[in-house]
Amino acid sequence: MIGIVDYGMGNLFSISKALERLGYDYEFVTDAGKLSAYDGLLLPGVGAFGDAMRNIRELSLDRALRDYAASGKPILGICLGMQLLFSRSEEHGSHEGLGLLSGEVVRFQGDYKIPHMGWNRLSLKKGASPLLDGVKDGDYVYFVHSFHVRVQSDDVLLATADYYQDVTAIVGRGNVYGMQFHPEKSGDTGMRLLDNFAKQCEGVTT
């Protein structure tokens, strides 16, 4: 069973429908005390980083999410959810994140269209990951974001995209993963990535 964390700022409908199409069971979860019951967690998100972290703290989900990650079970952050995995964000001030991965969320800067919106190619990095099984260099995924993650170490980078610079697209360290784009809106490639994550949740002992 996969838990979709509902803290009031996630695109729950589209991600849940994607899991249904793939044939995986899921539940929406808001109770911090129930997180440990799930074989894997999805942390979706749309909106502002500071508002999201405030909601997460008010629901006591911050400590619960850190404990869950420490348990070794798979967790995947999507869009804003990926950004929340990192140390901090400069969006509308300075805000502390969950700190599961090291890096900072910063705004795109330059004379080009912001937000970064639309289809873009993935550039896969060295190193194998079960999350990327069947995904090819150059596959397209769908982005919508005005802020991006500047990782502290390239070791967590699984894939980038090119938008006037290298943009962090997929991250992973151990059981903690993130995707800046929307896999549920990214066609066959996005569905394959979600399927790869869900397969890692199968057989996990709760």
Side-chain angles (χ1 to χ4, degrees):
M1 179 71 70
I2 295 173
I4 303 176
V5 183
D6 179 7
Y7 56 95
M9 294 182 63
N11 190 357
L12 305 183
F13 179 79
S14 60
I15 194 68
S16 64
K17 289 303 177 184
L19 290 178
E20 286 180 14
R21 291 197 300 274
L22 290 168
Y24 292 102
D25 294 327
Y26 67 88
E27 291 179 347
F28 300 121
V29 55
T30 59
D31 187 339
K34 295 182 178 179
L35 291 194
S36 61
Y38 294 93
D39 302 315
L41 287 182
L42 287 175
L43 181 66
V46 292
F49 189 104
D51 293 340
M53 283 304 303
R54 184 188 65 245
N55 289 4
I56 285 171
R57 285 192 296 269
E58 287 178 352
L59 292 167
S60 299
L61 287 167
D62 49 342
R63 177 176 293 181
L65 286 165
R66 293 183 183 112
D67 289 345
Y68 189 93
S71 77
K73 295 179 184 179
I75 181 170
L76 170 64
I78 294 173
C79 197
L80 173 61
M82 184 192 92
Q83 297 179 1
L84 297 173
L85 301 176
F86 283 85
S87 309
R88 64 181 59 256
S89 172
E90 67 173 25
E91 184 177 4
H92 307 306
S94 180
H95 304 281
E96 182 180 346
L98 293 170
L100 301 179
L101 299 171
S102 297
E104 184 178 14
V105 181
V106 299
R107 183 172 174 83
F108 283 110
Q109 299 288 341
D111 294 326
Y112 47 83
K113 183 181 177 181
I114 301 171
H116 172 208
M117 181 182 298
W119 296 87
N120 207 332
R121 293 176 181 268
L122 292 175
S123 176
L124 304 186
K125 301 299 150 186
K126 293 180 180 179
S129 170
L131 191 68
L132 300 178
D133 286 350
V135 178
K136 302 186 298 297
D137 199 64
D139 280 351
Y140 281 93
V141 291
Y142 189 79
F143 291 85
V144 184
H145 62 124
S146 299
F147 290 77
H148 63 102
V149 174
R150 183 182 295 150
V151 298
Q152 182 171 305
S153 171
D154 288 349
D155 290 346
V156 303
L157 280 179
L158 298 182
T160 60
D162 180 17
Y163 193 66
Y164 300 93
Q165 61 195 292
D166 281 341
V167 175
T168 299
I170 306 176
V171 295
R173 188 185 67 190
N175 57 306
V176 178
Y177 299 100
M179 301 176 193
Q180 178 61 70
F181 50 90
H182 289 273
E184 75 280 10
K185 299 179 180 179
S186 295
D188 291 343
T189 297
M191 294 297 281
R192 185 173 295 111
L193 285 161
L194 281 177
D195 189 42
N196 288 343
F197 173 76
K199 284 177 179 175
Q200 294 185 63
C201 305
E202 292 181 326
V204 174
T205 301
T206 58

